[in-house]
Amino acid sequence: MTPTLVGLDTAAIHALLEQLTGAPVPPFRARQVYEALYHQRVANVTAITALPAPWREKLTAVPFGLPTPLQDFRSVDGTRRYLLGLHDGRSVETVLMPEGDRHTFCISSQVGCPVNCQFCLTARLGLERNLTAGEIIGQILYVAADNGLAADLQKLNVVMMGQGEPLLNLPNVLQATRILVDEHGVGLSERRLTLSTSGIIPKIEELGREPIRPKLAISLNASYEDQRRQIMPITKKYHLKDLMAACKSYPLRSWEHLTFEYVLLGGVNDTDADARRVVTLLGNLRAKVNLIALNPGPDIPFERPTPERVASFQAIVRRSLPCFVRKPRGLDIFAACGQLKRMSEESGLVPLTVAPPPPARPSLHR
Ligand code: SAH
Ligand code: SF4
């Protein structure tokens, strides 16, 4: 993959500067570029004024790496959904959910998703490719700047719950995380960054060994093995029992708890008996549960649960664990959980902006 500046850490920037200048480079120069990219969040190389002009000139040979806005939709509830263009002509989606002075970014980790959950529109895309660390970070840099949020990113919540299964792109997700939570980098709070997984057990264990990592959320979505196999066929590979064992031995930090998401599918997994089984499954974990009423989509063969079912399910789980019902955000612009598929053309939605395709950039030949 073509390297881009956004996504590189200090060591990689240092190596790049030495390659471009053909001479030894003092380490502080790499730190200047790093801080300009992530802390000052410059929009292009020309704005890295700490760097001597001839060096900036050389750096322009490397693609910068911020995404190009293609389309942008705004919901009646204030949610914004962006379709962002990548350098190879592919695109991903990023959602911004404002809530008072707290904002939540829902970012993508892959283009499409290889996990075949039956209730999720993203699954219909299949996997096109992993996002690079720069493309993961770039979603936040671009959308924060577009919404004038660049000043105080400490208060941002970021969830990796857009397109993709983050644990199937773990090296890039971790590289992005380190830069996102570094105080000299983007400067997000590590406690406000969450990754959600369909339950890739060996990768959960790998994640737990990382010193710097997002919080862990698990998409549970079923209360027993066979039911989970039906709606999340990945369960045939990673059994529910083993997933729960991995959750039990997951090394939580002192301030951390596990989050379990549970998409309620009307008449399928939303009975009181399901709720009681969920309590049994999660009983001795430091955990909370987020219930999500199914967000419908074309060809999704499930129905929304009734409000009574949602309330009853929540009441049962709540006796044992904190349990919340996730408010659907951006339903009218197909921005809600599981709705992210590049369907704007077919959906009849009117975008706020339609940008022309980006100009071709020269690439760095090594
Ligand atoms: N791949 C990861 C993260 C992206 S999906 C994962 O599965 O966890 C983010 C969340 O959206 C998951 O909890 C998933 O169960 C939920 N989801 C998927 N499709 C949905 C739909 N149609 N309605 C409501 N939630 C959905
Ligand atoms: Fe992929 Fe998550 Fe959708 Fe399942 S729910 S298909 S893992 S994005």
Side-chain angles (χ1 to χ4, degrees):
M1 179 102 22
T2 319
T4 62
L5 281 181
V6 175
L8 300 184
D9 58 16
T10 328
I13 294 170
H14 189 251
L16 177 70
L17 288 175
E18 293 204 328
Q19 185 198 340
L20 289 170
T21 57
V25 165
F28 82 92
R29 289 292 183 201
R31 286 198 298 274
Q32 282 177 328
V33 174
Y34 180 89
E35 293 200 4
L37 290 178
Y38 307 117
H39 207 71
Q40 294 147 27
R41 295 183 278 277
V42 296
N44 53 49
V45 168
T46 320
I48 311 179
T49 46
L51 214 58
W55 291 33
R56 273 181 270 158
E57 178 59 32
K58 285 195 193 312
L59 270 183
T60 54
V62 186
F64 193 71
L66 285 180
T68 311
L70 297 177
Q71 291 184 329
D72 158 3
F73 305 93
R74 197 191 296 262
S75 162
V76 287
D77 69 17
T79 299
R80 295 187 78 172
R81 170 183 164 189
Y82 288 85
L83 185 67
L84 299 177
L86 308 174
H87 73 89
D88 63 352
R90 290 189 163 85
S91 55
V92 280
E93 287 164 309
T94 306
V95 176
L96 172 66
M97 293 166 280
E99 186 85 74
D101 66 346
R102 293 280 149 95
H103 292 71
T104 300
F105 280 67
C106 178
I107 62 172
S108 297
S109 55
Q110 299 182 310
V111 185
C113 181
V115 183
N116 188 21
C117 302
Q118 300 295 295
F119 46 81
C120 175
L121 269 182
T122 307
R124 305 298 165 88
L125 295 170
L127 176 66
E128 293 189 19
R129 70 168 170 84
N130 281 335
L131 293 183
T132 63
E135 288 165 340
I136 295 170
I137 298 167
Q139 296 171 65
I140 297 174
L141 296 183
Y142 176 79
V143 176
D146 195 50
N147 288 274
L149 300 174
D152 191 7
L153 295 188
Q154 266 284 327
K155 282 190 183 164
L156 281 187
N157 294 306
V158 175
V159 292
M160 293 190 191
M161 294 189 190
Q163 285 185 6
E165 168 47 65
L167 291 189
L168 292 177
N169 186 18
L170 190 53
N172 291 343
V173 162
L174 289 174
Q175 161 91 344
T177 300
R178 287 188 287 267
I179 295 172
L180 286 172
V181 305
D182 178 7
E183 60 175 327
H184 302 291
V186 179
L188 299 179
S189 161
E190 198 175 357
R191 301 179 183 208
R192 294 181 183 276
L193 181 59
T194 303
L195 162 167
S196 174
T197 179
S198 55
I200 314 292
I201 296 171
K203 300 290 174 183
I204 292 176
E205 291 160 356
E206 214 175 306
L207 182 71
R209 291 194 287 272
E210 285 295 322
I212 298 174
R213 56 186 146 103
K215 291 193 295 179
L216 179 60
I218 310 275
S219 295
L220 181 63
N221 297 343
S223 68
Y224 60 97
E225 175 79 18
D226 282 351
Q227 186 187 55
R228 198 169 194 271
R229 283 184 182 213
Q230 296 283 323
I231 60 178
M232 298 180 74
I234 186 111
T235 311
K236 293 176 197 156
K237 185 164 183 192
Y238 301 118
H239 301 175
L240 181 56
K241 181 167 60 66
D242 300 332
L243 176 59
M244 296 322 300
C247 291
K248 284 207 173 69
S249 52
Y250 189 76
L252 289 170
R253 290 157 286 192
S254 59
W255 46 267
E256 193 177 6
H257 58 257
L258 289 170
T259 300
F260 287 87
E261 285 138 322
Y262 194 100
V263 181
L264 290 162
L265 309 171
V268 174
N269 65 356
D270 65 344
T271 65
D272 288 353
D274 284 305
R276 286 191 288 270
R277 281 190 291 266
V278 166
V279 169
T280 309
L281 280 176
L282 307 183
N284 45 12
L285 290 171
R286 203 192 320 156
K288 74 164 183 181
V289 177
N290 280 337
L291 301 176
I292 315 171
L294 174 78
N295 295 311
D299 305 328
I300 296 292
F302 298 103
E303 284 171 12
R304 280 177 81 86
T306 62
E308 294 73 32
R309 278 283 89 234
V310 177
S312 178
F313 200 104
Q314 183 188 22
I316 292 170
V317 176
R318 216 192 223 162
R319 284 184 219 136
S320 307
L321 293 155
C323 178
F324 306 91
V325 178
R326 177 100 58 80
K327 198 164 71 176
R329 298 290 306 257
L331 266 177
D332 53 336
I333 54 166
F334 301 101
C337 295
Q339 295 194 309
L340 296 187
K341 181 176 177 236
R342 284 145 309 135
M343 54 188 282
S344 43
E345 301 86 16
E346 311 105 75
S347 68
L349 290 174
V350 181
L352 294 176
T353 55
V354 181
R361 282 204 166 105
S363 61
L364 177 72
H365 297 291
R366 286 173 182 267

